[in-house]
Amino acid sequence: MSMRFRFAPSPTGHLHIGGARTALFNWLLARKHDGVFLLRIEDTDRARSKAEHEAQVLRDMAWMGLDWDEGPSTGGEYGPYRQSERQGRYDTYIARMLDEGTAYRCTCSKERLTQVREAAQAKGEKPKYDRHCRNLNLGPDCGDHVVRFKAPLDGETVVKDLVKGDVTFRNEELDDLIIQRTDGSPTYNFVVVIDDHEMKVTHVVRGDDHLNNTPKQQLLYEALGLPVPAFGHLPIILGDDGGKMSKRHGSTSVGAYRENGFLPEALFNYLTRVGWACGDMEHFTAEEAIAARLAGEASPGRCGGGPRFSGRCSAFPSSAAGSRSTGALSTSATCSTGASRSRALPGCLHPSTRSTRSARCRCSARTCTSCCHACRTMALAIGYTETAGNSRGEAPRLSPPSPWRS
């Protein structure tokens, strides 16, 4: 089975550069090992999740050239790829855990939980649920309730981390975490396990701030009898004061860097090198990052995404790769009208063609962009429109959404 990596952002705001770095590392690993990079939208927070935030995440990833093989805009064998569309699957696993006794219903009120937490803090103890309902065997008619995971009370959970090595957690320090809220919606630590299993994710590579979630998730895998994926936790990006990167340190979202005039190549290169060095090498193309970042040799002539980035547009076959008039990758220095290029527009979305993408004609024909197949797929997913080619030999063209035009 091929290696499968994922990036799973929550559409509750802009794409943070820390999240972009996580996506980048997963993308590099997938491309290096001829694996699969999938995008999953984790929108279980119904109050904060917004469609416009999801669109922004897709746009920012496309801008950086991080194309995905499976996801909400491209589909795939293991979809749907939005958690809000997978409720039935979660309900099935919840029912199974209740039947098998690895989960239980809890009717404790918020007031009681607050009292328990404050009492523990007063004693200098770690605040956690006191398992009041653990052995009451409450049925579905118990009234308003949450469902909790029945975590082991003793022993240790060892996380075999690809970055940190073995990390040991004492089970007595872990909580009986809630896996389903009173409104029936599932919680993060539960759904991520179900989704990663059903989407055949083999490697979970994410920020160091998720490490404390990992023993809880590993115990859920074990309780359900599911194979545990490989975990790797990356150091997070810090501000100059040693704190986690936030707005007080300046721009933190990919969109902000784009709007401030940064090139996608610059952000790609910078995030590749944060917390890591490769001798004296400072500048990387996508192909060089795949080879150097992960050691070993990259496939010759490969552009991150495999054979489909071979230098011509698989969506618009032609006999003359590189010719704009035949619909291949946009590599010429003039637009179809013969005018030379000047200012930049978002064009081809893959790093391999960035040096000649971003075309805008002095003739103001704002559609001088032909793309490879993967770029075309992403572009259409985030609002580009396509004009078909014609009998005069003019190539199909992609035009950005009106808010992107200037």
Side-chain angles (χ1 to χ4, degrees):
M1 181 179 178
S2 63
M3 301 171 93
R4 292 175 61 85
F5 300 84
R6 52 83 164 170
F7 177 55
S10 298
T12 55
H14 298 295
L15 178 60
H16 189 279
I17 59 169
R21 178 168 171 262
T22 297
L24 171 61
F25 279 33
N26 279 277
W27 184 86
L28 288 169
L29 283 162
R31 298 303 176 236
K32 167 66 179 181
H33 296 288
D34 293 321
V36 175
F37 176 56
L38 69 88
L39 174 67
R40 183 175 69 231
I41 302 299
E42 298 193 338
D43 55 353
T44 55
D45 188 338
R46 297 173 180 176
R48 297 173 60 215
S49 296
K50 306 293 182 184
E52 54 267 30
H53 294 322
E54 178 182 328
Q56 182 73 49
V57 169
L58 298 183
R59 174 183 170 183
D60 288 345
M61 289 186 63
W63 178 74
M64 286 189 65
L66 304 180
D67 60 311
W68 51 96
D69 304 296
E70 302 174 18
S73 59
T74 55
E77 184 178 356
Y78 303 107
Y81 294 90
R82 291 186 184 89
Q83 289 182 337
S84 58
E85 300 171 3
R86 301 175 61 85
Q87 182 68 45
R89 289 170 166 80
Y90 308 139
D91 291 342
T92 299
Y93 282 94
I94 292 287
R96 171 183 162 185
M97 294 181 70
L98 288 169
D99 289 342
E100 295 176 351
T102 55
Y104 62 94
R105 297 178 181 88
C106 171
T107 57
C108 291
S109 65
K110 291 182 180 179
E111 291 75 19
R112 183 182 184 282
L113 295 176
T114 298
Q115 293 173 359
V116 170
R117 181 175 62 253
E118 290 176 348
Q121 291 173 332
K123 297 177 183 178
E125 299 174 352
K126 180 179 178 179
K128 62 179 182 178
Y129 179 56
D130 64 355
R131 299 183 168 95
H132 173 76
C133 295
R134 183 179 172 109
N135 298 312
L136 297 183
N137 296 318
L138 299 173
D141 58 350
C142 64
D144 290 342
H145 64 275
V146 299
V147 177
R148 290 181 179 272
F149 171 52
K150 189 178 287 188
L153 302 177
D154 52 26
E156 296 177 336
T157 296
V158 179
V159 174
K160 297 185 176 298
D161 195 282
L162 297 171
V163 177
K164 298 177 175 296
D166 289 358
V167 183
T168 302
F169 298 84
R170 296 167 57 195
N171 290 338
E172 64 186 61
E173 296 294 323
L174 304 178
D175 209 348
D176 281 7
L177 70 151
I178 295 173
I179 57 177
Q180 187 179 60
R181 304 180 182 93
T182 55
D183 63 359
S185 62
T187 59
Y188 165 76
N189 279 306
F190 176 71
V191 295
V192 74
V193 168
I194 304 307
D195 290 343
D196 283 345
H197 168 67
E198 293 207 338
M199 295 179 185
K200 310 297 182 185
V201 172
T202 60
H203 292 72
V204 177
V205 180
R206 55 193 179 183
D208 196 35
D209 49 341
H210 283 279
L211 180 59
N212 286 335
N213 288 324
T214 306
K216 306 170 189 177
Q217 294 167 12
Q218 183 166 313
L219 288 172
L220 282 168
Y221 278 108
E222 294 170 355
L224 288 164
L226 306 177
V228 180
F231 289 101
H233 293 86
L234 307 171
I236 61 176
I237 300 177
L238 303 177
D240 53 11
D241 59 357
K244 185 177 179 180
M245 189 73 170
S246 66
K247 290 182 179 179
R248 71 177 182 274
H249 299 108
S251 297
T252 60
S253 72
V254 172
Y257 284 95
R258 182 185 63 249
E259 291 165 3
N260 287 329
F262 284 80
L263 295 175
E265 296 91 341
L267 191 57
F268 183 103
N269 190 81
Y270 178 76
L271 292 179
T272 298
R273 298 188 65 248
V274 170
W276 168 81
C278 182
D280 295 328
M281 193 171 182
E282 294 186 0
H283 303 103
F284 296 86
T285 63
E287 297 92 332
E288 291 167 341
I290 291 168
R293 175 80 210 187
L294 303 166
E297 295 183 1
S299 302
R302 178 172 170 179
C303 180
R308 62 187 171 193
F309 300 114
S310 58
R312 71 163 54 194
C313 177
S314 58
F316 312 126
S318 70
S319 58
S323 167
R324 170 159 293 284
S325 62
T326 56
L329 289 175
S330 49
T331 56
S332 68
T334 59
C335 73
S336 58
T337 63
S340 60
R341 296 177 176 181
S342 54
R343 293 181 55 200
L345 272 181
C348 186
L349 303 173
H350 197 271
S352 67
T353 52
R354 281 191 187 134
S355 60
T356 52
R357 79 160 195 41
S358 305
R360 180 176 183 173
C361 301
R362 291 192 179 125
C363 60
S364 298
R366 298 179 180 180
T367 55
C368 288
T369 308
S370 298
C371 289
C372 60
H373 176 64
C375 300
R376 174 180 173 273
T377 299
M378 287 196 295
L380 295 176
I382 60 176
Y384 274 64
T385 56
E386 182 176 44
T387 302
N390 57 40
S391 58
R392 297 191 300 275
E394 293 181 352
R397 297 176 180 180
L398 291 171
S399 300
S402 55
W404 291 20
R405 301 176 186 172
S406 60

